[in-house]
Amino acid sequence: MDDKGLTPEERAALVEQIERLREEHRDLDAAIEALRDAGQADQLQVQRLKKRKLLLRDKLARLEDLLTPDIIA
């Protein structure tokens, strides 16, 4: 086990989950851009996509913190 108490299997699962979330985040970026480029930007839909993107970013930050060792300053 490492400093955070994660087994190698748990660490690998976290890395895999982080990669999936990053991909979903990129997909949302592309979807928002496509809506804007098509000139059919339904503001409510764009807002929902942006909100989902922010939630993903926050979740990514939390998961990445689990992988980063604490540094005492």
Side-chain angles (χ1 to χ4, degrees):
M1 284 193 188
D2 61 17
D3 294 343
K4 295 265 186 173
L6 296 174
T7 65
E9 294 82 15
E10 290 170 330
R11 189 172 189 76
L14 274 177
V15 169
E16 187 177 316
Q17 185 176 6
I18 287 170
E19 287 306 313
R20 281 194 311 267
L21 291 174
R22 284 182 181 154
E23 183 177 349
E24 186 177 348
H25 191 270
R26 284 190 299 270
D27 291 346
L28 285 170
D29 239 354
I32 291 168
E33 191 64 31
L35 280 173
R36 287 185 179 154
D37 288 347
Q40 303 174 13
D42 175 8
Q43 290 303 318
L44 184 58
Q45 187 176 13
V46 170
Q47 282 179 329
R48 287 178 179 158
L49 291 174
K50 284 183 175 182
K51 184 173 182 178
R52 174 71 180 148
K53 196 174 142 187
L54 287 172
L55 291 172
L56 282 174
R57 187 186 69 191
D58 291 344
K59 188 171 185 176
L60 274 166
R62 283 192 303 275
L63 292 175
E64 288 168 346
D65 283 347
L66 291 174
L67 294 178
T68 307
D70 289 335
I71 299 173
I72 300 173

